[in-house]
Amino acid sequence: MSKVKGLIFDLDGVIVFTDKFHYQAWKKMADGMGIYFDEEINNRLRGVSRMDSLEIILERYEGEPLSQEKKDALAAEKNETYRELLKTMTPADVSQEVRDTLAKLREMGIKISLGSSSKNAKFILERVDLLDAFDAISDGTNITKSKPDPEVFLKGAEFLGLTPADCGVVEDAYAGIDAAKDGGMIGIAIGDACSYDRADYRLNTFSDLIQVVKEINQ
Ligand code: B16
Ligand code: MG
């Protein structure tokens, strides 16, 4: 395994926790359409793009086939609700542990990129005052394929001026670990992804990352 020169971070589930907002916004849309939706279905949407998420929710839809225009309108309606909820976020929504660890990694010479499927990633980072903690942002606005495709992380590595083999990816979703591994990067799991056997390293807590990087680079 080569040394880690860059780390690419998933956003939702790693840096911030916006699951509950996604849930509330999709739930409102689904209720309006008379579609059954619960937290278990919401869990399947982690790391999945907005339009792919809509398709998962529509698996329970029993009405007339929907046109692409209608689907776009439903996704836009969900996003509007979601962004209203995001406006309640403040810097207090990111832990001091996360801030300190990102700063420490930079002091160690590690370059830091975001690697999120979300088109709202920059908006979220602005809300929580974390934009400056990143050297590069790869998000839903610069990709055509969402995780488990490696595109978002390959772009992150490219934006940092590094090769995929130089980078580790920190992810909470199985699809994100698949994307990292298929892209030739080191898969570092946190949260739910820790139970996935494709992960190379597992973090009990975010700050464990310092030790993991030291271990890989020793
Ligand atoms: P948006 P991540 C993902 O963020 C979320 O986990 C997923 O639930 C969401 O559908 C996706 O972003 C797209 O988000 O609608 O804001 O573009 O985990 O890749 O940081
Ligand atoms: Mg995630």
Side-chain angles (χ1 to χ4, degrees):
M1 200 178 274
S2 60
K3 293 198 174 189
V4 180
K5 295 182 187 155
L7 284 172
I8 306 172
F9 291 85
D10 174 49
L11 179 61
D12 191 13
V14 174
I15 306 279
V16 295
F17 298 87
T18 54
D19 261 30
K20 54 187 182 297
F21 296 148
H22 281 297
Y23 175 73
Q24 288 171 47
W26 282 127
K27 177 81 178 144
K28 189 173 171 210
M29 186 227 79
D31 284 352
M33 292 285 290
I35 304 170
Y36 178 79
F37 181 65
D38 63 17
E39 305 243 7
E40 209 177 308
I41 301 171
N42 193 57
N43 282 341
R44 289 175 57 202
L45 311 182
R46 236 181 267 161
V48 176
S49 72
R50 195 180 307 160
M51 292 313 285
D52 289 348
S53 297
L54 177 65
E55 291 299 336
I56 290 172
I57 292 166
L58 291 178
E59 286 170 7
R60 300 281 189 129
Y61 174 68
E62 287 166 354
E64 293 292 307
L66 300 174
S67 65
Q68 192 53 50
E69 288 71 25
K70 178 65 182 169
K71 287 182 183 178
D72 290 347
L74 290 173
E77 176 196 323
K78 180 266 175 176
N79 194 49
E80 215 170 287
T81 313
Y82 178 59
R83 282 179 72 96
E84 279 308 310
L85 293 166
L86 289 179
K87 285 183 190 163
T88 64
M89 292 186 85
T90 70
D93 287 303
V94 170
S95 69
Q96 197 55 46
E97 181 188 6
V98 166
R99 290 182 195 280
D100 291 349
T101 303
L102 293 175
K104 172 87 180 146
L105 287 164
R106 267 179 149 179
E107 279 169 35
M108 290 162 66
I110 304 292
K111 287 189 177 170
I112 309 269
S113 175
L114 192 75
S116 166
S117 304
S118 176
K119 291 184 172 159
N120 293 300
K122 276 191 191 150
F123 182 65
I124 295 170
L125 290 180
E126 274 165 20
R127 292 292 323 165
V128 299
D129 193 21
L130 210 60
L131 255 187
D132 292 347
F134 292 85
D135 299 299
I137 306 279
S138 175
D139 64 17
T141 64
N142 60 255
I143 55 170
T144 55
K145 288 161 274 176
S146 85
K147 303 165 192 174
D149 190 282
E151 186 180 11
V152 72
F153 297 140
L154 293 176
K155 288 276 181 209
E158 185 188 318
F159 295 163
L160 291 176
L162 298 173
T163 65
D166 290 333
C167 295
V169 168
V170 185
E171 256 291 350
D172 71 310
Y174 281 40
I177 294 291
D178 280 335
K181 297 300 296 170
D182 292 346
M185 293 164 255
I186 301 164
I188 305 170
I190 192 164
D192 285 357
C194 287
S195 47
Y196 191 27
D197 58 11
R198 280 196 89 191
D200 297 302
Y201 293 89
R202 290 166 182 81
L203 308 176
N204 283 321
T205 181
F206 196 86
S207 56
D208 286 352
L209 203 46
I210 306 289
Q211 210 37 54
V212 166
V213 169
K214 284 183 179 165
E215 199 180 305
I216 299 169
N217 287 357
Q218 71 192 354

